[in-house]
């Protein structure tokens, strides 16, 4: 809610984004277990291995499908943006 990036570059931004996604799901009675697909936008594709390590901290068991692409001009000069799709029965 502050419109400020988490300090610390990609690791901090990725963790904060995933915390935010988890909080949004939990606010509606769901969890990260409901996520079926994530699209990841990275300012530098060289960060893909580091992002994947962080991604695995948040998802257990079978990982949701994911795709990634390099992007310039991410909001607020971010290193990463994440879009997720959750399946609710």
């Amino acid at each position: 809610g502050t419109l400020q990036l988490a300090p610390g570059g990609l690791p901090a931004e990725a963790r904060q984004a995933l915390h935010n996604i988890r909080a949004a799901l939990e606010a509606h009675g769901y969890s990260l277990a409901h996520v079926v697909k994530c699209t990841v936008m990275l300012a530098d594709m060289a960060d893909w291995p580091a992002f994947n390590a962080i991604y695995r901290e948040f998802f257990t068991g079978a990982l949701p499908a994911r795709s990634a692409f390099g992007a310039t001009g991410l909001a607020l000069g971010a290193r990463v943006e994440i879009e997720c799709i959750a399946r609710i029965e």
Side-chain angles (χ1 to χ4, degrees):
T2 65
L3 295 179
Q4 294 182 9
L5 297 174
L10 176 96
E13 290 179 31
R15 284 187 181 94
Q16 186 63 58
L18 289 163
H19 280 297
N20 292 350
I21 291 164
R22 180 169 51 203
L25 288 164
E26 289 175 351
H28 297 282
Y30 304 107
S31 71
L32 288 173
H34 291 93
V35 174
V36 295
K37 169 78 167 67
C38 291
T39 303
V40 182
M41 292 144 276
L42 295 168
D44 184 347
M45 284 303 295
D47 288 333
W48 182 239
F51 174 81
N52 270 332
I54 294 162
Y55 189 82
R56 287 182 176 96
E57 293 174 14
F58 285 81
F59 294 99
T60 58
L63 297 174
R66 65 195 179 283
S67 58
F69 56 90
T72 59
L74 296 178
L76 304 175
R79 305 289 304 153
V80 62
E81 287 188 28
I82 308 167
E83 173 186 80
C84 293
I85 298 170
R87 182 173 186 267
I88 313 308
E89 303 217 12

